[in-house]
Amino acid sequence: MSRDVNPFGLRMPPEVKEELEKLAEQNRRSLNAEIIVRLEESIRREKDKCISEDGLRRIVSEELDKRRQ
């Protein structure tokens, strides 16, 4: 990771931190790297769930075409 990233203080429940530390060890990552990987995965999944504007237009257009028939 780039050295130009500013530190970010994060408060979390101790049990969450302990679980993340265990997972980081299993995945041979630092706690910081584990948190970043998990956040990136969460962001990616959220983006995958979202419909693009073009996708929404296509769905609406298809539905309107069905109703016109």
Side-chain angles (χ1 to χ4, degrees), residues 8-21:
F8 177 76
L10 177 65
R11 291 186 293 271
M12 70 177 78
E15 58 275 6
V16 173
K17 183 179 180 190
E18 289 171 15
E19 189 62 31
L20 284 168
E21 287 171 332

Side-chain angles (χ1 to χ4, degrees), residues 44-60:
R44 181 188 47 76
R45 280 193 309 272
E46 194 66 29
K47 283 182 181 178
D48 289 348
K49 288 191 318 187
C50 294
I51 299 174
S52 69
E53 190 174 329
D54 289 337
L56 182 57
R57 280 192 183 111
R58 182 183 49 77
I59 291 168
V60 170

Side-chain angles (χ1 to χ4, degrees), residues 1 24 27-40:
M1 184 180 305
N27 293 318
R28 296 184 175 164
R29 294 192 270 251
S30 67
L31 176 58
N32 189 76
E34 187 69 27
I35 291 169
I36 289 171
V37 165
R38 290 174 177 278
L39 287 171
E40 288 172 341

